[in-house]
């Protein structure tokens, strides 16, 4: 028993002091991209052609445009761009209130805004979520589950995952919403007490990701239930998920 207590004291305080302090990200972490000033020369479309999810397109002046809702952050476009206009930063804040806000054409990004005053009164200090894996590969699910560990300690913000939608304030959806999970997700949403919120986490839940256009999936959650917060990534970093939820709650 003494050895256990000694080991615990040696470990010290494990929870990272976020949001008071910004967490350090790994050097190889691919965060929110930005489009640098300049324009593509000639008819080069290497970045568009190499993107596995069709997240890249060309906008005004042949400049690249990135849809974060479809991006899997493979960085292939960054390597393919001869003009070096595409740059993936270490910024982990990427949540948005709409799919349109996830489209990046320059260095600017509109971060998620807090929920309305009435919802903030109800959920701003305590938020119970029912997680629905709608055909996901378990990557987004794993990064969601890890939020319960001491390092992130989701519960200190009053956020908890619950077993039943009838005990929840909203849904957190992962996966592209397969045909087999469509009805289950609809019924889970309908079982929520009103008012409620919906959070789509990961490229699959936002847009269908790598599976977009496949007849066996529904290209994300927004076409089936109303989504209030979109968290891009493949999978999103746990800090990205937590930061997005806290920003939506009006805690940042």
């Amino acid at each position: 028993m003494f050895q256990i207590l000694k080991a615990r004291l040696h470990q010290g305080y494990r929870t990272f002091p976020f949001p008071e302090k910004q967490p350090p990200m790994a050097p190889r972490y691919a965060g929110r991209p930005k489009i640098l000033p300049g324009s593509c020369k000639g008819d080069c479309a290497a970045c568009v052609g190499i993107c596995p999810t069709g997240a890249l397109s060309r906008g005004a002046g042949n400049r690249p445009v990135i849809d974060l809702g479809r991006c899997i952050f493979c960085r292939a476009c960054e390597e393919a761009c001869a003009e070096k206009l595409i740059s993936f930063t270490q910024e982990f804040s990427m949540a948005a209130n709409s799919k349109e806000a996830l489209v990046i054409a320059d260095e600017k990004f509109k971060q998620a805004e807090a929920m309305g005053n009435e919802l903030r009164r109800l959920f701003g200090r305590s938020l119970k979520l029912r997680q629905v894996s709608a055909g996901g590969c378990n990557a987004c699910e794993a990064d969601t589950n890890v939020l319960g560990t001491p390092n992130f300690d989701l519960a200190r913000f009053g956020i908890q995952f619950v077993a039943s939608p009838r005990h929840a304030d909203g849904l957190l959806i992962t996966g592209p919403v397969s045909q087999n999970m469509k009805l289950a997700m609809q019924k889970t949403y309908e079982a929520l007490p009103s008012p409620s919120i919906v959070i789509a986490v990961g490229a699959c839940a936002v847009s269908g990701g790598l599976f977009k256009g496949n007849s066996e999936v529904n290209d994300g959650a927004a076409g089936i239930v109303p989504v209030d917060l979109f968290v891009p990534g493949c999978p999103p970093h746990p800090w990205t998920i937590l930061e997005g939820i806290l920003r939506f709650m009006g805690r940042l």
Side-chain angles (χ1 to χ4, degrees):
M1 185 64 172
F2 176 75
Q3 293 299 324
I4 294 175
L5 293 173
K6 183 178 178 181
R8 184 64 190 90
L9 289 173
H10 177 73
Q11 291 168 0
Y13 187 67
R14 294 183 178 185
T15 305
F16 190 86
F18 178 82
E20 291 79 11
K21 184 179 179 181
Q22 292 297 295
M25 309 304 287
R28 296 178 61 186
Y29 170 70
R32 190 174 74 213
K34 61 182 179 181
I35 310 299
L36 302 176
S39 60
C40 297
K41 295 181 180 179
D43 295 325
C44 175
C47 61
V48 177
I50 203 171
C51 181
T53 61
L56 262 290
S57 60
R58 301 175 75 177
N62 284 332
R63 287 171 52 77
V65 177
I66 302 178
D67 183 352
L68 285 188
R70 300 177 66 174
C71 181
I72 61 171
F73 296 80
C74 64
R75 306 186 82 150
C77 58
E78 184 180 39
E79 297 177 7
C81 183
E83 303 300 324
K84 303 302 180 185
L85 300 181
I86 303 172
S87 174
F88 282 81
T89 70
Q90 291 236 306
E91 178 55 64
F92 61 87
S93 176
M94 290 185 275
N97 299 107
S98 68
K99 286 186 177 182
E100 292 73 22
L102 293 174
V103 178
I104 294 180
D106 49 34
E107 298 183 74
K108 300 177 182 178
F109 180 74
K110 184 179 180 181
Q111 293 180 313
E113 297 178 354
M115 60 181 75
N117 291 334
E118 179 61 16
L119 290 179
R120 288 180 64 184
R121 183 183 70 81
L122 294 172
F123 307 143
R125 294 175 61 86
S126 175
L127 182 65
K128 313 300 182 185
L129 297 171
R130 172 68 171 118
Q131 201 273 325
V132 177
S133 177
C137 70
N138 206 39
C140 293
E141 292 82 354
D143 276 1
T144 299
N145 290 341
V146 80
L147 291 174
T149 62
N151 184 53
F152 300 97
D153 193 12
L154 188 72
R156 65 189 158 124
F157 300 107
I159 308 170
Q160 293 179 321
F161 291 106
V162 295
S164 169
R166 300 189 185 281
H167 302 157
D169 303 313
L171 299 184
L172 188 149
I173 301 170
T174 55
V177 190
S178 64
Q179 297 294 2
N180 288 338
M181 280 299 299
K182 180 180 178 180
L183 181 59
M185 191 184 75
Q186 287 176 314
K187 288 187 174 182
T188 304
Y189 174 75
E190 292 167 0
L192 292 170
S194 183
S196 59
I197 63 172
V198 177
I199 303 171
V201 172
C204 288
V206 174
S207 68
L210 285 166
F211 308 99
K212 182 176 177 63
N214 190 289
S215 61
E216 293 301 317
V217 301
N218 291 275
D219 294 345
I224 304 170
V225 295
V227 176
D228 302 285
L229 184 69
F230 297 88
V231 184
C234 186
H237 195 285
W239 288 122
T240 300
I241 302 171
L242 179 57
E243 194 273 348
I245 295 175
L246 289 178
R247 189 172 294 279
F248 187 55
M249 292 173 69
R251 303 282 291 273
L252 295 180

